[in-house]
Amino acid sequence: MYTKFTKESDFLYVVVNGSFALDAFLETLIKIGSEVEDKVIIDGSYLENTDISYEIRYELVIAAQKFLNAGTKYAVIWPPKDVNNFIMINLNRFGITIEVFPNLVKAKKWLKIPS
């Protein structure tokens, strides 16, 4: 799994490509959480093997709740065929503001970032 961080003027843009790997994604969450940003886009739109089990989704919820910042808004772009609201619903319960989108345009609109 390949991850690239780019600081834009209004947000942090994180691109995740390759094949989904839990350990690598957890490391990415830790790095994202260490950044001081109000808005973050995590773009996994070209990520492969994203039809992950509920066990893995649960592990992601626990890690994200631990490492992500409650004051930051997170927009996640995920392959539409594998979008599942489990992570989003549970993180919102923990006070993490996160939404999942099928594309960058909708993610930017939600974050109120000019396209």
Side-chain angles (χ1 to χ4, degrees), residues 6 9 18 43 47 51 60-62 69 79-80 87 90 98 105 108-109:
T6 306
S9 60
D43 188 347
L47 197 58
D51 185 17
L60 289 174
V61 167
I62 298 303
N69 302 312
I87 292 173
N90 284 290
I98 187 169
V105 172
K108 283 184 169 183
K109 184 177 179 180

Side-chain angles (χ1 to χ4, degrees), residues 34-97:
S34 71
E35 299 286 335
V36 179
E37 295 289 334
D38 293 336
K39 300 172 185 175
V40 175
I41 295 176
I42 303 168
D43 188 347
S45 55
Y46 295 104
L47 197 58
E48 299 169 351
N49 301 318
T50 55
D51 185 17
I52 55 179
S53 69
Y54 276 94
E55 181 179 291
I56 290 173
R57 290 173 196 268
Y58 179 75
E59 288 185 48
L60 289 174
V61 167
I62 298 303
Q65 186 263 333
K66 181 177 179 181
F67 298 116
L68 297 183
N69 302 312
T72 301
K73 289 178 76 172
Y74 298 94
V76 177
I77 304 166
W78 205 251
K81 66 180 181 60
D82 295 325
V83 168
N84 179 299
N85 292 329
F86 178 83
I87 292 173
M88 182 184 67
I89 290 167
N90 284 290
L91 284 177
N92 284 317
R93 287 180 183 159
F94 285 125
I96 304 294
T97 304

